[in-house]
Amino acid sequence: MAEQSLHQQFARIRIHDNGAERGTEEALTPVVTTPHTRLLELSPHNVRVREYLMEHDTTFRQLHELKEKGWNTLEGDIYFQKQREAADNKADNQEAIFHKLHLKIGGEMRTFGAFLARGTDASKINALNLCLAPGAYTASILQQYPNASIRGVTLPFESGGHKMIIPYGPEDPRVDIEFLDITMLIREFLDTSFRVPPGHPDAANFITSTLFHDQLFDLVLCDGQALRTHPRAEYRETREPRRLLAAQLVFGMTRIKHRGTFVILLHKAEAWDTIRLLKSFCSFARVALFKPRTAHQQRSTFYLIAKDVQTSSIEARQFIDDWKKAWVEATFGGEQGIGAASAMPDDAEVDALLKAFGPSLIQMARPIWSIQANALDHSRWLPGSGPSKTSRSWSLQSPAFHENAEPPKFRNPNSIWRMRAGSFSSSSQTSSAYSPRSPDEQTPSSPLTSNSGNQPRYAPRHELDEDKQKKMAGKWR
């Protein structure tokens, strides 16, 4: 990319950050994005990954074309600038709207099977919810397991976090919450022999106490995002998303039961760091990806759902150690001792990972990309798109974990997990709905074209007549 073109794009980043990846829910979620975000997208290793995916998957190539169109439209700049202003200045009633929106997402996640837990008496599960405010997912877990016991950690409202909506503590003894910044729990990453340098900007802010160290949880849910409304030291700005991700992963993985369920919010399935994370989870758990239709459609946001986590495996222990080191590097690394960016991989490392994991990545992520592409293809602000556009058909994801079915036993962690409506099964063979395809092959078909049991039917727009499309318009945008 020419230097002038790159500077032109950076000049617009402050206005619309992740471009076509912002949806209407951005008006309620002030998530941190900076020029550093776009710089990472344009880094050689991410460009190399993108070229591979565009060559091997039609759905991703179509999504990339839509996102690039979003980057180059004034309508997108105006749309997302308004969204950012609303997010940074939201009124009290918008917290309630935000909560209601995520209650709907929680319902989708229950249908998908994200909250299913193992055990002789699953109705009395112990759950850990990190970054839980305003509490919609905790409420969703309690709807599925009324006798569950839930512990949580969340950023205080006074520090820029979301306001709690659900009852907790004395009002609901099932929910016990600690209000603090999880990224500052230094003893999760370093033992007592480490002394914080006196000149570190956060020397007086690190928390040396430990939380829930004597408990193990059946279900761990991590829903944290670095927020613009959270005041913090300047050195943390570009590295806060990675510090928060590392903190959630380490805190959650060191407290999950053997064969427990781990759910975490992620972004950009096509990003290098995300791909490495997905590959790691696949080495010690059964993995499925979930993207809601209630919100986050235009964004790259999705949830990783890991079942049967093998906590005692070598891979899991190495995973925890690696993310502890990532937090330390982002907090104390560099020449000044105030954090450093993660090391950039070379071409050989990128090519090796894509060769080993590329086909599986495409199989898992295609439904995620498809939902995002469908939303962008029908957005009002993107030129050539709109609610009446029906020229393309997009694949949709199916429920991966059926509520009435016992999760299958842990087998080969490197196998490809076949997803079908109402079931979740393991196979070394790829399934027809999710198998990798060449760019010249047909668009993947939707696995959700029949109603199985109580599972909802989400039909692609091209299957709906004009009247039904109008009624569904609000659900698809």
Side-chain angles (χ1 to χ4, degrees), residues 189-246:
F189 318 99
L190 295 163
D191 59 31
T192 55
S193 64
F194 178 82
R195 294 291 183 267
V196 178
H200 193 280
D202 274 321
N205 299 324
F206 289 106
I207 303 169
T208 57
S209 58
T210 57
L211 304 175
F212 318 145
H213 63 279
D214 57 344
Q215 289 186 261
L216 293 176
F217 297 90
D218 305 282
L219 170 64
V220 175
L221 173 59
C222 306
D223 193 44
Q225 300 186 84
L227 303 176
R228 293 191 300 270
T229 52
H230 177 203
R232 52 184 166 260
E234 184 178 355
Y235 84 94
R236 293 168 58 178
E237 287 303 321
T238 59
R239 289 180 284 278
E240 192 67 3
R242 186 167 182 81
R243 292 182 70 253
L244 180 56
L245 176 62

Side-chain angles (χ1 to χ4, degrees), residues 27-46:
L28 304 172
T29 312
V31 181
V32 167
T33 47
T34 67
H36 179 70
T37 305
R38 183 61 172 167
L39 182 61
L40 284 176
E41 290 183 358
L42 300 173
S43 60
H45 56 284
N46 276 318

Side-chain angles (χ1 to χ4, degrees), residues 15-16 19-20 22-23 76-84 381:
I15 297 178
H16 101 278
R22 291 280 183 221
D77 290 345
I78 296 172
Y79 176 81
F80 292 114
Q81 183 178 16
K82 290 180 178 179
Q83 296 292 328
R84 285 173 57 89
W381 56 268

Side-chain angles (χ1 to χ4, degrees), residues 142-169:
L142 290 173
Q143 287 178 357
Q144 184 162 351
Y145 302 110
N147 298 320
S149 174
I150 300 180
R151 309 296 294 271
V153 179
T154 200
L155 187 68
F157 179 70
E158 298 76 14
S159 299
H162 292 291
K163 183 180 294 185
M164 285 298 302
I165 301 294
I166 64 169
Y168 62 92

Side-chain angles (χ1 to χ4, degrees), residues 18 30 50 67 118 132 223 325 366 392 412 445:
N18 274 341
R50 184 165 63 245
K67 289 168 65 177
R118 303 183 63 86
L132 66 86
D223 193 44
K325 293 175 183 177
R366 182 183 290 122
R392 291 175 178 165
N412 177 11
S445 60

Side-chain angles (χ1 to χ4, degrees), residues 129-190:
N129 193 349
L130 303 180
C131 308
L132 66 86
Y137 294 156
T138 291
S140 296
I141 295 171
L142 290 173
Q143 287 178 357
Q144 184 162 351
Y145 302 110
N147 298 320
S149 174
I150 300 180
R151 309 296 294 271
V153 179
T154 200
L155 187 68
F157 179 70
E158 298 76 14
S159 299
H162 292 291
K163 183 180 294 185
M164 285 298 302
I165 301 294
I166 64 169
Y168 62 92
E171 296 181 6
D172 188 345
R174 297 174 299 176
V175 183
D176 182 16
I177 304 175
E178 297 287 343
F179 292 90
L180 51 81
D181 182 352
I182 193 173
T183 70
M184 304 305 286
L185 291 169
I186 191 170
R187 293 299 170 237
E188 296 295 322
F189 318 99
L190 295 163

